[in-house]
């Protein structure tokens, strides 16, 4: 069997597999967009403004960017890399 014969006879399997991957990818994007939108709403209820852009923009970019934008959102809003410590807050208040 050659590759051409195999591809011609099993093309429908590859198309089905590719379609399933697209559906799973779309579902993951929807999940991340929903999670980002929900978390932005929770931040807003606590009086914390989202970093860089509005909550709707974060949700839309998560819908388009999926896991990568969700990771960037988490990094900016929930990681210890960008979280202000109480010591830093005291320094900011003393400078003002």
């Amino acid at each position: 069997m050659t590759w051409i014969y195999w591809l011609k006879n099993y093309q429908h399997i590859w198309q089905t597999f590719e379609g399933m991957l697209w559906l799973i990818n779309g579902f993951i994007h929807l999940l991340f967009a929903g999670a980002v939108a929900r978390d932005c709403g929770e931040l807003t209820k606590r009086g914390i403004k989202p970093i860089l852009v509005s909550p709707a923009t974060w949700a839309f970019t998560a819908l388009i960017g999926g896991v990568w934008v969700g990771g960037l959102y988490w990094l900016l809003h929930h990681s210890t890399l960008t979280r202000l410590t109480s010591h830093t807050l005291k320094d900011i208040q003393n400078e003002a």
Side-chain angles (χ1 to χ4, degrees):
M1 270 200 293
T2 64
W3 279 99
I4 296 172
Y5 172 80
W6 193 83
L7 287 174
K8 284 181 181 177
N9 289 326
Y10 297 102
Q11 183 178 8
H12 64 282
I13 294 173
W14 287 111
Q15 288 174 344
T16 303
F17 181 70
E18 184 181 10
M20 289 173 61
L21 285 178
W22 276 103
L23 286 174
I24 292 168
N25 190 26
F27 184 67
I28 289 172
H29 281 240
L30 284 173
L31 284 177
F32 271 83
V36 167
R38 181 177 180 186
D39 189 66
C40 274
E42 292 296 322
L43 288 177
T44 305
K45 284 180 185 177
R46 288 189 273 158
I48 302 170
K49 289 181 66 174
I51 298 172
L52 297 177
V53 293
S54 69
T57 306
W58 272 115
F60 180 72
T61 55
L63 182 64
I64 302 299
V67 175
W68 297 107
V69 174
L72 177 65
Y73 174 83
W74 177 85
L75 182 70
L76 290 174
H77 292 89
H78 296 288
S79 75
T80 56
L81 295 174
T82 57
R83 189 174 301 149
L84 292 174
T85 62
S86 59
H87 179 68
T88 308
L89 288 174
K90 288 177 185 175
D91 290 341
I92 292 171
Q93 290 172 349
N94 289 336
E95 289 177 6

